[in-house]
C-alpha cells in the first residue's frame, strides 16, 4: 500500500495541496482527476519523492516512505512524468534501458532483456524505431516510450501523469487497455488524466482534486452519474465525449 | 626546408597542441553537460596535472607509470572535491553563482599551487627520451606521438564509456533531462561528481602531455584553458565530437598561422576564426541548433 495522509504542500507562500489523503493498492487502478492547476502533478511529485510534503506524510506498506526519488524507485514507486520527457538524444533502446537503470545496476540483465521484449510486444511501434533517436519519434510515440520506460523499472506502484495527452483516440484506448491490465501483474496504478472517461473506465476508484483538496473519492460510476460532479469538478474536459462513451457508461450504471 | 616538409611540420605541431585543446575542451563539455556550468577552473586542472606529475617523478622519484597514474587520479580527486565542497553546497542557486564559484575556485587553486610549487618554471621531463624522429621531412619527438596516442586513447575510452556502459548512458540521460533521469533512479548527484572527476582526469592528461613541450608553472593552465574553452565553443559547446574537432582545428590554425605568417599573430588569428565561425554558425561546428528537442 502506497499512501499519503494529511499532506499539505506550499510553493513558497502559495498553497498547492491541503490535507490530502489518498491510498493506492497494488491490485488496482485509481484515477486522480481535476482541472488544470488542481495540484495533481504536485501530489504525484510528493508520492515519488521529488517534492517533500510541507506537512503530513507518505507511507509505503505502512512505514514512512524512503526519501528522494532514487530511493523510491528502488522501493518500486515509479513516476512517469507529465509531458513525455524522453531522453531525446538517446536511442529508443537506451531510453528503455534507462527505465531499468536500477535493475541493470543490480545485475538483472536477463530479466530486463525479457521485459524489453515484453514492452516491444506491448508497443510494437517502438520495436520498429528501436535504434532511432527518441527525440525523432512523434509526440504520441514518445508518450508510449515514456510509459514503456516507466514499466521497465518493474514498478510495484506506477504513477502516470496524463499518459493519454495528445494521443489519437485509438492509441489512447490502447494505452488505457495496457493500464487496465497492470494490476494483474502486481502493479498498482495512480492515473492522473484529463480524459476522465477513459481513466474512469479502467479504474476501480476515483479521486477528484479541486484547488488542492480532495472533493470526492469513491466509485467511478458515481462520478459519471453525478452531473454536478462532472460539471463542477471535471470541467469541460469530458463533456464532448459524453455524447458517445459517457452515455453508455451512465446507462450501464443506472440499469 | 621543402614546402611539403614545412607543411607536415606544421601539421604535426598543430595536431599536437590541437590534441591538448581537444582534451581540455572535452573537460569543459563533461561538466557543462552534467550541470550547465562553465568551469573556469578547467585550465587549473592542467597546471595541477603537470605539477603533480613533476613532484611524483622528481620529488618522490616514482617510476613513470605510477607517477602518471597517480597524477591523473590526484587531479580527478581534486575535481570531485571541487564539486563536493564548492558547488554542491550551493546547488540550488543561480547558474551565474555557480559559474562564479568556479572562477573563485580557480583563483584559489592557483594561489595554492603558487604557494606549494613556487612561481618559477619547472623542468618536466618528457615521457620518453627525446630522440629526434622524421616523418615526410618533418622533425618531431616521441612526445608528439605520446600526445597524439594518449589523446586518441582517451577519446576512444570516453566514446566507449558513453556509448556502451550503463553509467555512461545514464550520464547522457542526465545531460538530456536531469529531472526525468532522477525519476529513473539515476543518482544525478553522484554522476555530477563523477563528471567533475573525469574532467579533472582529462585536464591532468592534457597538462602532463603538453607541459614538457611548452613549460611548466603554476599558471600554465590559464591560457591553455582559455584555448580549450575556445575549442569547445568552436565545436559547439557541449558536443563531444565538436570538442575534438574544435580542438584540432584550433591547433592546426595556430600552427599554420605561426608558420606561414608570424607566430605573433597566431592567437589573434585563432580567435578571429572563432569569431567568424560563431557569426556564421552560432551553435558552433557540430553544436545542436537552439530549439531542437
Ligand atoms: N514550481 C512551482 N512553483 C510555484 N507554483 C507552482 C509550481 N508548480 C506548480 N505550482 C502551482 O501549484 C498549483 C498546482 O499545480 P500542479 O502542477 O500540481 O497542477 P496540475 O493539477 O498537475 O495541473 P495540470 O492539469 O495543468 O497539469 C498550480 O496553481 C500551480 O500554478
Ligand atoms: Mg499536471
Amino acid at each position: 500500500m502506497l499512501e499519503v495522509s494529511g499532506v499539505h504542500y506550499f510553493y513558497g507562500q502559495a498553497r498547492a495541496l491541503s490535507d490530502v489523503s489518498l491510498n493506492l493498492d497494488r491490485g488496482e487502478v485509481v484515477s486522480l482527476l481535476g482541472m488544470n492547476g488542481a495540484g495533481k502533478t504536485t501530489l504525484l511529485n510528493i508520492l515519488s519523492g521529488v517534492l517533500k510534503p510541507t506537512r503530513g506524510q507518505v507511507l509505503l506498506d505502512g512505514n514512512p516512505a524512503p526519501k528522494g526519488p532514487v530511493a523510491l524507485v528502488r522501493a518500486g514507486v515509479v513516476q512517469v512524468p507529465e509531458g513525455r520527457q524522453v531522453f531525446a538524444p538517446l536511442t529508443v533502446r537506451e531510453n528503455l534501458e534507462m527505465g531499468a537503470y536500477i535493475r541493470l545496476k543490480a545485475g538483472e540483465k536477463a530479466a530486463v532483456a525479457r521485459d524489453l521484449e515484453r514492452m516491444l510486444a506491448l508497443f510494437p511501434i517502438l520495436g520498429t524505431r528501436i535504434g532511432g533517436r527518441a527525440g525523432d519519434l512523434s509526440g504520441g510515440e514518445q508518450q508510449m516510450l515514456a510509459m514503456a520506460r516507466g514499466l521497465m523499472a518493474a514498478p510495484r506502484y506506477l504513477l502516470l501523469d496524463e499518459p493519454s495527452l495528445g494521443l489519437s483516440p485509438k492509441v489512447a484506448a490502447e494505452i488505457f487497455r495496457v493500464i487496465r491490465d497492470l494490476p494483474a501483474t502486481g502493479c498498482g496504478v495512480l492515473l492522473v488524466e484529463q480524459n476522465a472517461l477513459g481513466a474512469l473506465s479502467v479504474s476501480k476508484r476515483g479521486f477528484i482534486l479541486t484547488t488542492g483538496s480532495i472533493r470526492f473519492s469513491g466509485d467511478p460510476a458515481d462520478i459519471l452519474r453525478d452531473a454536478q460532479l462532472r460539471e463542477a469538478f471535471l470541467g469541460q474536459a469530458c463533456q464532448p465525449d459524453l455524447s458517445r462513451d459517457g452515455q453508455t457508461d451512465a446507462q450501464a450504471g443506472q440499469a | 626546408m621543402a614546402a611539403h616538409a614545412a607543411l607536415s611540420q606544421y601539421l604535426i605541431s598543430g595536431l599536437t597542441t590541437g590534441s591538448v585543446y581537444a582534451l581540455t575542451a572535452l573537460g569543459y563539455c563533461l561538466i557543462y553537460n552534467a550541470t550547465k556550468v562553465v568551469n573556469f577552473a578547467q585550465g587549473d586542472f592542467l597546471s595541477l596535472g603537470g605539477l603533480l606529475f613533476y613532484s611524483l617523478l622528481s620529488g618522490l622519484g616514482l617510476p613513470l607509470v605510477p607517477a602518471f597514474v597517480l597524477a591523473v587520479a590526484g587531479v580527478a580527486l581534486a575535481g570531485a572535491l571541487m564539486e563536493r565542497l564548492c558547488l554542491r553546497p550551493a546547488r540550488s542557486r543561480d547558474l551565474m553563482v555557480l559559474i562564479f564559484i568556479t572562477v573563485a575556485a580557480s583563483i584559489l587553486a592557483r594561489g595554492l599551487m603558487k604557494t606549494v610549487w613556487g612561481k618559477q618554471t619547472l623542468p618536466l621531463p618528457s615521457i620518453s627520451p627525446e630522440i629526434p624522429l622524421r616523418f615526410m621531412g618533418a622533425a618531431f619527438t616521441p612526445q608528439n606521438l605520446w600526445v597524439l596516442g594518449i589523446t586518441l586513447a582517451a577519446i576512444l575510452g570516453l566514446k566507449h564509456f558513453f556509448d556502451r556502459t550503463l553509467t555512461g548512458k545514464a550520464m547522457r540521460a542526465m545531460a538530456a533531462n536531469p529531472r526525468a533521469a532522477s525519476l529513473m533512479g539515476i543518482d544525478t548527484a553522484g554522476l555530477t561528481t563523477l563528471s567533475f572527476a573525469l574532467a579533472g582526469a582529462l585536464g591532468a592528461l592534457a597538462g602532463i602531455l603538453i607541459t614538457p613541450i611548452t613549460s611548466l608553472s603554476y599558471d600554465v593552465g590559464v591560457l591553455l584553458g582559455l584555448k580549450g574553452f575556445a575549442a569547445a565553443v568552436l565545436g559547439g559547446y557541449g558536443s563531444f565530437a565538436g570538442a575534438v574537432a574544435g580542438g584540432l582545428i584550433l591547433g592546426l590554425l595556430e600552427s599554420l598561422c605561426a608558420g606561414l605568417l608570424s607566430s605573433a599573430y597566431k592567437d589573434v588569428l585563432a580567435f578571429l576564426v572563432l569569431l567568424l565561425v560563431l557569426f556564421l554558425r552560432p551553435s558552433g561546428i557540430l553544436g545542436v541548433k537552439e530549439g531542437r528537442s
Side-chain angles (χ1 to χ4, degrees):
Chain A
M1 180 90 86
L2 176 64
E3 57 185 313
V4 289
S5 89
V7 158
H8 296 250
Y9 192 81
F10 288 81
Y11 289 104
Q13 296 295 310
R15 180 196 292 272
L17 293 176
S18 54
D19 197 22
V20 171
S21 298
L22 171 153
N23 62 352
L24 173 67
D25 202 55
R26 284 184 71 183
E28 61 178 356
V29 177
V30 172
S31 287
L32 178 61
L33 309 172
M35 289 193 264
N36 293 122
K40 306 179 296 294
T41 299
T42 305
L43 185 55
L44 289 195
N45 282 336
I46 284 174
L47 281 164
S48 68
V50 172
L51 297 176
K52 235 175 62 192
T54 314
R55 203 134 62 80
Q57 52 180 348
V58 185
L59 299 170
L60 183 60
D61 302 324
N63 303 312
K67 303 274 172 281
V70 174
L72 273 156
V73 172
R74 282 219 178 85
V77 181
V78 173
Q79 179 184 11
V80 176
E82 192 173 17
R84 309 194 278 270
Q85 316 249 10
V86 298
F87 303 118
L90 275 64
T91 65
V92 169
R93 179 186 297 278
E94 286 169 340
N95 269 268
L96 293 172
E97 284 172 5
M98 285 304 108
Y101 177 77
I102 294 278
R103 301 169 68 202
L104 287 170
K105 232 178 127 187
E108 300 172 25
K109 243 180 153 162
V112 169
R114 266 199 309 279
D115 280 351
L116 201 131
E117 290 309 314
R118 222 160 49 79
M119 287 312 132
L120 299 185
L122 221 48
F123 304 101
I125 185 74
L126 297 181
T128 66
R129 310 292 296 272
I130 192 83
R133 261 177 101 253
D136 294 339
L137 298 179
S138 78
E141 289 162 352
Q142 290 188 19
Q143 192 77 57
M144 286 186 246
L145 176 58
M147 177 140 164
R149 184 181 62 180
L151 285 172
M152 286 299 290
R156 298 193 301 143
Y157 301 96
L158 187 64
L159 314 173
L160 294 172
D161 203 343
E162 309 200 6
S164 81
L165 192 72
L167 297 183
S168 65
K170 186 162 168 279
V171 178
E174 256 172 64
I175 293 264
F176 284 124
R177 234 185 342 268
V178 171
I179 293 170
R180 186 195 60 203
D181 294 339
L182 285 174
T185 67
C187 174
V189 180
L190 183 59
L191 177 56
V192 166
E193 261 299 335
Q194 297 294 343
N195 179 352
L197 292 172
L200 289 173
S201 72
V202 297
S203 297
K204 206 168 112 190
R205 292 186 292 142
F207 287 83
I208 297 180
L209 199 60
T210 39
T211 53
S213 14
I214 303 269
R215 281 296 150 79
F216 175 89
S217 69
D219 193 334
D222 291 338
I223 300 177
L224 291 170
R225 220 176 359 239
D226 191 323
Q228 210 185 341
L229 272 182
R230 257 183 354 218
E231 273 178 40
F233 300 133
L234 303 182
Q236 277 80 24
C238 70
Q239 296 297 342
D241 279 342
L242 267 181
S243 50
R244 292 188 281 110
D245 308 11
Q247 240 163 24
T248 48
D249 269 74
Q251 281 158 1
Q254 277 153 12
Chain B
M1 206 188 310
H4 77 271
L7 198 61
S8 38
Q9 188 75 60
Y10 304 148
L11 281 181
I12 285 180
S13 69
L15 286 176
T16 304
T17 36
S19 295
V20 170
Y21 297 160
L23 288 175
T24 313
L26 284 169
Y28 282 105
C29 266
L30 273 166
I31 288 177
Y32 176 78
N33 287 344
T35 60
K36 298 287 173 266
V37 165
V38 176
N39 173 29
F40 277 92
Q42 187 65 33
D44 301 293
F45 292 154
L46 269 76
S47 314
L48 184 60
L51 292 167
L52 276 181
F53 189 51
Y54 168 81
S55 289
L56 291 166
L57 275 181
S58 311
L60 293 182
L62 287 185
L64 189 80
V65 173
F68 185 92
V69 171
L70 278 178
V72 172
V75 184
L77 182 67
L81 284 177
M82 172 184 165
E83 196 273 328
R84 278 289 162 101
L85 301 180
C86 303
L87 289 151
R88 174 139 349 156
R91 175 59 72 53
S92 58
R93 271 181 259 153
D94 200 315
L95 208 51
M96 276 304 162
V97 174
L98 297 182
I99 292 174
F100 180 73
I101 288 175
T102 71
V103 175
S106 164
I107 293 170
L108 185 70
R110 230 172 303 148
L112 284 174
M113 290 189 286
K114 191 157 98 182
T115 311
V116 174
W117 281 280
K119 273 162 93 168
Q120 76 280 22
T121 309
L122 301 167
L124 184 63
S126 298
I127 287 181
S128 53
E130 288 296 83
I131 25 167
L133 303 170
R134 294 211 151 261
F135 175 72
M136 301 214 356
F140 59 99
T141 65
Q143 187 71 14
N144 292 95
L145 295 181
W146 281 115
V147 174
L148 295 177
I150 291 178
T151 301
L152 187 66
I155 290 169
L156 292 178
L158 271 183
K159 185 160 169 44
H160 176 84
F161 173 70
F162 282 109
D163 287 350
R164 297 268 173 271
T165 70
L166 185 64
T167 307
K169 289 178 194 176
M171 268 195 184
R172 282 164 55 221
M174 173 174 83
N177 189 335
R179 240 176 53 79
S182 71
L183 289 179
M184 311 287 103
I186 292 170
D187 171 20
T188 50
L191 290 189
T192 301
T193 307
L194 182 59
S195 299
F196 274 77
L198 279 176
L202 288 173
L205 281 183
I208 291 169
L209 291 171
I210 196 67
T211 43
I213 295 175
T214 57
S215 64
L216 174 62
S217 64
Y218 76 99
D219 61 355
V220 64
V222 176
L223 190 60
L224 287 169
L226 196 60
K227 297 280 182 64
F229 176 66
V233 174
L234 182 62
Y237 209 82
S239 151
F240 289 104
V244 174
L248 294 180
I249 291 170
L250 195 63
L252 285 171
L253 270 176
E254 277 189 7
S255 114
L256 287 174
C257 179
L260 300 176
L261 298 171
S262 147
S263 64
Y265 295 130
K266 73 173 183 155
D267 293 346
V268 179
L269 182 91
F271 283 96
L272 263 180
V273 170
L274 175 68
L275 285 179
L276 203 65
V277 168
L278 294 180
F279 285 146
L280 299 175
R281 265 190 77 90
S283 52
I285 298 171
L286 295 174
V288 181
K289 288 214 185 60
E290 304 239 326
R292 282 271 307 267
S293 62

